[in-house]
Structures are given as C-alpha cells and as structure tokens.
Amino acid sequence: MSESSEINPSSVPVTAKQGGEAHGLRPWAEPAVWTERMLTALAEGVKGGVWFSLIDKVFAERTLRAAAGSVVANAGAAGVDHVSVEEFSNDLEGNVRELSKAVRGGSYQPNAIRRVFIPKPGSSEQRPLGIPTVRDRTVQGAIRYVIEPIFEKEFAEHSYGFRPGRGCKDALRQVDSLLKDGLVYVVDADLKSFFDTIPHERLLGRLRERIADERLVRLIESFLKAGIFDGVEENEPEAGAPQGAVLSPLLSNIYLNPLDHIMAKQGMAMVRYADDFVILCRSQSEAEQALQQVRQWCEAEGLKLHPIKTKIVDVRVEGFDFLGYHFATTRKGRLTRWPREKSLDKLKDTIRTKTKRTNGHSLRVIIVDVNQTLIGWFGYFKHSCASTFKPLDGWIRMRLRSVLRYRIGRKGRGRGADHQRYPNMFFANNGYFSLEVAHRMVCQSPSG
C-alpha cells in the first residue's frame, strides 16, 4: 500500500449531498398535508429555514384520517388501553374528530407505552419494544406526515434507514460497491442502546432548528416523556425514543444527521441504516481517524459506542456483519457475502417450528407453510454466494424426511434409505421451493 494512501483520506467522492431534493419529495409527501404551495416553499426555502404554524396541519382531520388509515393497514397490537386496531377502526371518523379536537385544544395527552421484550435472533438477549396505543400511533403518524419532508430534504445521501424510496438493499449495494472499489478497512460501529439513550433536550434542539411552532415541539416532547409501562409499574423515561413508536425512526435520523454530514465533509465513505452503520476506508490509519471522530461526536452528543462490538476490520482478513449479511473474502481472495450466523439461526428456528415430526398436516400443506418462509427469506438473501443455498436445501429436506419417517414408525432424522424413498425430486414434485434452484434462476436472468 502506498504511503499516500496511508495518510490521505479516501478519494471516493463522498459528499453531503442531500437525499431528498424537493423535486423528489412529491411522490411520497402526504398530499393530505403537503400541497403544491407547501412543496414549492420547501423547494425554494422558507425564511431563516424555519417553519411556523404547523400544528394546524397535524390536527386537521384529513391528516389524522390519513394517518389512521396507515395505522389500521399496519395492524399491530393494542397498547395499555387495550383498544385494538379493529375497535378503533369501527368508529374511525368519530375517533379522528375526537383526536382533532383534543390536539387543537391542547388537551391531548399521550398514554403510557406498553413495554414488551422480543428475542434477539441467535442471542439470549432480548430487545425492548414499545407499543403505543392506536390513538397515539395515529397522532404520531400525523406528526410524521407534517415534519418528515422538512427534514428529509436535508438528510445525507448515505443514510438509508426508514426513508421513503430507500431500504436495506440500497445500503447493501453501496457497501458492496465500496468494497469492490478497494475500501477494505471497515469501521464496524455499534451504538449501545441507541434508541433508549437519545438525549431528549438535544433532540428537541434539533427539531427547533427547523420548527418554530412550539406547540408542535411540545407535543412531540410529550411523546418522548410518555411513561413506560412494563406490566407492573410505570416509569417516565429520562432519555430515548422507544423502538416501535411511529415517530422514533424519523427522530433517530434527525439526531444522527449531523454525524452523517460531518463524515461526508471529511470524505469518509459512511453507509448508515438507522443506528447501524459502517465506514469504509482505504487504510488502517484512515479507519482509525474515522473511528476517533465518531467516538468524539458520540461522547459530545450523549451516545456511547459499544466497547466490544465496535471495531476496525480488514475485510481481507476478517469479515463483518451488516444488515443481516456477513461480508468477507474467500480463500481465493474474492469479496463476497452470505447470511450472517444469526440470520441463518433465525431461519432454522422458524423451519424447525414448521417441520416438527408430530406435525399432523399433509406434506403438501407443510411445504406450503415452509415455502412462505423460504420465499420471503430468499427475496432478501438471494445475493448471497452460491454455496449458501445447497446446504440449506439439504437440511430442510432432511427435516421433511424426518416427518415422513416418523409417520411410518421410524425414529430419528431422515437418513440412509430415506434418500432413496424420498429423493429430492419427490419434494420438488410436492411443490418445495428450492433455494438452490431459485438462486440459479436469478443468476441466469438478465436482471439477476
């Protein structure tokens, strides 16, 4: 490696280009809120870059009705008031009128958030999830419709999480492209308990940089301060924006946006999806510089990098995980990717549940159920290296053979003569979705 590459930052043209230029906002900006006049003001800029008089857009019945429609479509569990999405939608218009009146009059107060814990794939740890009530999800949705375009216009190009028209696959493609361009030193960053530690006052300060409507800011603050009910007691959070709340993804992007632009200004090739991000560099020294800048920014902004999970890797020597994939170099020196271990564990746990030996359904019914999982999983992981899929197919067919073996009074896993009794074609004829065949077809297609 040349001396200049060890000293100078990456020459990859990474800038703080904004990801939501005004002409691109129209397709997704909620028309119940964002009229042509408002979109023009957004494109041309408002005086001082600060927006006034937004609360009336939030409590407008048309905005709340649109937000309620989205909440109903997304379904989800009931909050602490035990009102389900179905019950709320049974009197949708009445509920919208009630919410509009409460927000307009300033009497609206969020309910506590129901705290539940969900398992982390491949780990004994559990992830906290906050479930607001349906009415609170509706009001949060209305707020998001109103403020998202204001901030979206300023978000950096390399931010992909929870943004309209962007997603995991876009972020993964960018990482793959940067690795192939020779940026093989990777800052693999992990923000410790990010959603639970966002400082409220600093976040509200970010909001006030663009929103001068104090009624709206205070309404958002009331959601941040809403109690957390764990089934026994209710506690008021001192920091954080609970995962599961409608506003939390947008608020997380707003809080991390300054870091995005600092990295871009420094010429660092950062790829971020919400609180999960990597910085790809040409040299070890550049990676160390990037990590030091991130660490300093986090300390100043009340966040912490995980001391163990945050590291610098040379992908030619050691791989790294990002958005469900594991990126690494093969023995022949080729950069590739495959599902990370936790992603494979999660898939296998799901398949195990669907292929218990005591499953009383017909083989075809079981295969239909298994296929539903496989088709969705393959849709995300189809860009893995080819060697990923054949072993998985073999393992799943073994599970299916074990079911059939049990039905003829034999114990144990499908093996030996079971391969002759139930060959691979037998499962294909019964409709099994082969991951290996699907991957081969994708590779042969023009768009694959």
Side-chain angles (χ1 to χ4, degrees):
M1 189 166 294
S2 68
E3 181 179 350
S4 60
S5 67
E6 285 289 334
I7 298 173
N8 297 327
S10 166
S11 59
V12 173
V14 182
T15 68
K17 178 181 177 184
Q18 294 169 351
E21 301 296 344
H23 63 77
L25 296 175
R26 184 173 286 102
W28 58 264
E30 175 53 48
V33 179
W34 285 87
T35 63
E36 288 296 323
R37 182 168 173 267
M38 290 180 67
L39 285 170
T40 299
L42 186 64
E44 296 178 353
V46 294
K47 187 176 180 180
V50 181
W51 289 74
F52 295 82
S53 302
L54 293 173
I55 191 67
D56 60 307
K57 311 297 188 302
V58 174
F59 65 63
E61 290 188 14
R62 63 180 180 277
T63 307
L64 289 163
R65 190 177 298 111
S70 179
V71 171
V72 171
N74 290 333
V80 294
D81 62 357
H82 305 293
V83 175
S84 67
V85 168
E86 292 75 18
E87 290 170 324
F88 184 86
S89 61
N90 286 338
D91 186 20
L92 188 63
E93 288 302 316
N95 286 320
V96 164
R97 285 194 299 271
E98 180 182 331
L99 289 175
S100 176
K101 181 180 179 181
V103 175
R104 180 191 290 110
S107 63
Y108 182 86
Q109 287 294 323
N111 293 112
I113 294 172
R114 183 163 69 89
R115 171 61 57 87
V116 297
F117 291 89
I118 58 176
K120 287 186 177 182
S123 171
S124 59
E125 298 179 22
Q126 291 189 311
R127 186 191 307 278
L129 186 68
I131 304 178
T133 61
V134 178
R135 66 191 289 273
D136 288 342
R137 300 206 292 268
T138 298
V139 176
Q140 287 192 37
I143 295 172
R144 183 176 66 83
Y145 282 154
V146 172
I147 71 172
E148 187 172 39
I150 296 171
F151 291 96
E152 174 66 25
K153 185 174 181 289
E154 300 185 353
F155 288 157
E157 183 70 18
H158 61 250
S159 168
Y160 294 92
F162 305 106
R163 294 182 58 192
R166 289 165 167 259
C168 290
K169 292 183 179 181
D170 301 302
L172 291 165
R173 274 192 290 267
Q174 181 66 1
V175 169
D176 189 63
S177 176
L178 291 168
L179 288 171
K180 290 176 180 176
D181 282 344
L183 282 73
V184 294
Y185 292 90
V186 182
V187 178
D188 184 6
D190 186 280
L191 290 171
K192 188 176 182 180
S193 303
F194 170 68
F195 282 93
D196 290 330
T197 58
I198 301 174
H200 288 166
E201 291 307 315
R202 290 181 182 273
L203 174 57
L204 294 170
R206 298 265 200 282
L207 293 171
R208 289 187 174 101
E209 290 174 3
R210 292 290 174 263
I211 300 174
D213 190 329
E214 195 59 27
R215 287 184 63 190
L216 177 53
V217 174
R218 287 199 303 269
L219 179 59
I220 296 173
E221 182 180 14
S222 70
F223 283 111
L224 295 174
K225 302 291 187 183
I228 305 293
F229 182 68
D230 61 7
V232 178
E233 59 182 357
E234 180 180 329
N235 298 296
E236 182 177 318
E238 297 180 356
Q243 285 184 279
V246 176
L247 271 176
S248 293
L250 174 59
L251 296 178
S252 70
N253 279 332
I254 291 172
Y255 198 74
L256 292 175
N257 189 48
L259 176 62
D260 291 340
H261 287 275
I262 289 172
M263 290 292 102
K265 187 176 181 180
Q266 295 294 322
M268 299 294 180
M270 180 178 182
V271 181
R272 183 173 68 80
Y273 191 95
D275 60 326
D276 195 358
F277 64 90
V278 290
I279 305 170
L280 296 95
C281 306
R282 291 196 183 277
S283 68
Q284 177 77 22
S285 60
E286 184 184 333
E288 291 172 354
Q289 177 189 349
L291 178 55
Q292 181 62 19
Q293 288 180 324
V294 171
R295 182 174 285 115
Q296 289 176 352
W297 186 88
C298 288
E299 289 176 356
E301 298 297 333
L303 303 176
K304 291 183 179 180
L305 289 173
H306 197 290
I308 298 175
K309 296 180 180 179
T310 299
K311 57 185 178 179
I312 296 173
V313 302
D314 179 347
V315 75
R316 296 167 299 184
V317 178
E318 178 185 3
F320 68 96
D321 295 338
F322 186 61
L323 299 182
Y325 275 90
H326 182 76
F327 290 83
T329 303
T330 65
R331 292 179 180 177
K332 295 182 178 181
R334 187 172 67 89
L335 284 167
T336 188
R337 54 175 160 161
W338 57 84
R340 67 172 184 166
E341 186 176 346
K342 289 182 179 180
S343 300
L344 290 172
D345 289 343
K346 183 178 180 181
L347 171 66
K348 288 186 174 182
D349 285 346
T350 302
I351 297 299
R352 286 189 183 98
T353 300
K354 295 186 174 189
T355 57
K356 292 180 178 179
R357 292 184 179 89
T358 54
N359 191 319
H361 294 291
S362 69
L363 179 65
R364 283 188 176 271
V365 171
I366 294 173
I367 287 177
V368 167
D369 192 23
V370 167
N371 285 350
Q372 289 179 341
T373 296
L374 295 182
I375 291 169
W377 189 88
F378 181 77
Y380 187 78
F381 289 105
K382 63 184 177 183
H383 299 293
S384 300
C385 60
S387 60
T388 299
F389 304 104
K390 185 176 180 178
L392 276 174
D393 273 338
W395 181 82
I396 295 166
R397 283 192 289 258
M398 178 276 294
R399 297 284 306 178
L400 295 173
R401 289 187 181 101
S402 298
V403 173
L404 297 174
R405 181 182 176 88
Y406 179 83
R407 292 179 179 180
I408 59 174
R410 297 176 180 268
K411 298 180 180 180
R413 301 178 2 161
R415 62 187 186 275
D418 294 324
H419 289 267
Q420 285 72 49
R421 188 179 294 112
Y422 311 113
N424 293 353
M425 186 55 66
F426 171 79
F427 296 105
N429 291 337
N430 276 276
Y432 173 70
F433 177 83
S434 168
L435 297 169
E436 182 185 15
V437 171
H439 183 258
R440 190 184 308 132
M441 294 177 65
V442 166
C443 291
Q444 292 173 351
S445 71
S447 61

